[in-house]
Amino acid sequence: MNISDAAARSGVPPKTIRYYEEIGLVRPLREGNGYRVFRESDVHKLAFLGRARALGFGINRCRALLALWEDEARASAEVKQIASGHLDAIDAKIADLRAMRETLADLVQACAGDDRPDCPIIRSLETSGNPPAKEGRFGRNGDEGV
Amino acid sequence: MNISDAAARSGVPPKTIRYYEEIGLVRPLREGNGYRVFRESDVHKLAFLGRARALGFGINRCRALLALWEDEARASAEVKQIASGHLDAIDAKIADLRAMRETLADLVQACAGDDRPDCPIIRSLETSGNPPAKEGRFGRNGDEGV
DNA sequence: CTTGACCTTCCAGTGGATGGAAGCCCTATC
DNA sequence: GATAGGGCTTCCATCCACTGGAAGGTCAAG
């Protein structure tokens, strides 16, 4: 089967499939004319990736999950560890967003939203009261971001 | 003042300041030797940007907020609209993450996490029961992502 | 005069794709 | 046999918001 069929059957777009091949997540065969040929197993693998990505797993974690999926002798503990790591990352992200949301919602709430220039949102941004974040926003996070 | 002082006083790293200049968010002066020279107003503007970014505003929204900040005749409604748009984006993102979190937490919960291969997480990923997302994960979102 | 801390620019890479151009391949129709 | 169209290929650029690092200029202290 060609790439567009594989895309339709797996739910992963052709461009993305080519990208996944490029980074070594799938290895479709090739026909004499250079066209990719997808087996059932490739489609199945792509669908697996699609679902893992839909749960927010990063590519590296998808790669690890894929390897475990194909490893008959895997320990479920390994799978669980990857998923737990991701869950923690999601929780951290949610916490960040909720903190932002709370501040922001208060400000929006307090803003008259009329044609006058006075605005608590602007005031908050221009005032040192709301410190420029001591840590975290800038700089690398060692592990996968969500 | 030079870039490292501006960085220390605004909380925005030198690299980021250079980047902000490149995309036109700040316009420091230049000394004869090519060094950037930052005025108080530049530092103030950088701190503003730092706080806006810390609230998750995208660069485009920061640009708009900056323009409104400097516009004495602004209508607070304009500010509020930008902030509300961002708030909606955050809410959408939180909703996405919570949906992921819920599914994932259930799976992690159900996984024994021992040395046996059987694993509900893997089973869920390999099974079409969990559909590969009908819409949303792939494809452009017209507006700012959070 | 050298050392070392600054500063500059430029290029590359991050994650995870997406958009588009240029050009081959295949099938159908005239 | 020519041509039109769709599908396929590769490659390069773009998004977001930086970050890292190399190569080299500048400055004050010792």
Side-chain angles (χ1 to χ4, degrees):
Chain A
M1 135 182 43
N2 284 344
I3 199 167
S4 61
D5 295 316
R9 305 238 274 121
S10 66
V12 179
K15 278 254 161 188
T16 306
I17 295 177
R18 294 195 190 97
Y19 170 66
Y20 286 172
E21 182 186 17
E22 190 186 325
I23 63 174
L25 286 179
V26 276
R27 292 182 215 287
L29 303 173
R30 293 288 178 144
E31 259 174 325
N33 55 16
Y35 285 22
R36 289 169 182 83
V37 180
F38 294 83
R39 290 150 294 189
E40 287 301 319
S41 62
D42 294 318
V43 172
H44 205 180
K45 196 183 279 197
L46 286 168
F48 180 99
L49 287 168
R51 286 186 285 264
R53 291 289 299 123
L55 283 179
F57 285 101
I59 290 295
N60 282 341
R61 282 191 172 119
C62 285
R63 203 185 294 275
L65 288 171
L66 214 44
L68 288 170
W69 180 37
E70 296 181 327
D71 178 8
E72 300 283 321
R74 69 177 165 260
S76 68
E78 294 185 77
V79 180
K80 187 169 184 170
Q81 203 196 322
I82 292 169
S84 297
H86 180 45
L87 186 54
D88 290 348
I90 287 181
D91 283 340
K93 188 77 188 170
I94 290 175
D96 281 0
L97 287 173
R98 294 234 282 212
M100 285 180 192
R101 201 222 110 91
E102 201 160 336
T103 304
L104 205 49
D106 287 351
L107 291 172
V108 166
Q109 166 74 26
C111 176
D114 54 21
D115 53 359
R116 287 170 302 171
D118 181 53
C119 173
I121 301 167
I122 290 286
R123 263 206 309 278
S124 167
L125 290 172
E126 77 188 344
T127 304
S128 325
N130 187 13
K134 25 210 89 209
E135 212 25 75
R137 174 170 39 105
F138 300 115
R140 278 303 72 226
N141 52 340
D143 211 343
E144 312 231 353
V146 180
Chain B
M1 123 185 51
N2 283 345
I3 198 168
S4 61
D5 294 316
R9 306 239 272 120
S10 66
V12 179
K15 279 251 159 188
T16 305
I17 295 177
R18 293 196 190 97
Y19 170 66
Y20 286 171
E21 183 187 17
E22 191 187 324
I23 63 174
L25 285 179
V26 275
R27 291 181 214 289
L29 303 172
R30 294 287 179 146
E31 258 174 325
N33 55 14
Y35 285 22
R36 288 169 183 83
V37 180
F38 294 82
R39 290 149 293 188
E40 287 301 320
S41 62
D42 293 318
V43 172
H44 205 181
K45 196 183 279 197
L46 286 168
F48 181 98
L49 287 168
R51 286 186 285 264
R53 292 288 302 123
L55 284 179
F57 284 102
I59 291 293
N60 281 342
R61 283 191 172 118
C62 285
R63 202 186 295 275
L65 287 171
L66 213 44
L68 287 171
W69 181 38
E70 295 181 328
D71 178 8
E72 300 283 322
R74 70 178 165 260
S76 67
E78 293 184 78
V79 180
K80 187 169 184 170
Q81 203 196 323
I82 292 169
S84 297
H86 180 45
L87 186 55
D88 290 348
I90 288 182
D91 283 340
K93 188 78 189 170
I94 290 175
D96 281 0
L97 288 172
R98 294 234 281 213
M100 286 179 191
R101 201 221 110 90
E102 200 161 335
T103 304
L104 205 49
D106 288 350
L107 291 173
V108 166
Q109 165 75 25
C111 176
D114 55 21
D115 54 359
R116 288 169 303 171
D118 182 54
C119 172
I121 301 167
I122 290 287
R123 264 207 307 279
S124 167
L125 289 172
E126 77 187 344
T127 304
S128 325
N130 187 13
K134 24 211 96 223
E135 211 27 74
R137 175 170 37 107
F138 301 114
R140 278 303 74 225
N141 52 340
D143 210 342
E144 313 232 352
V146 181

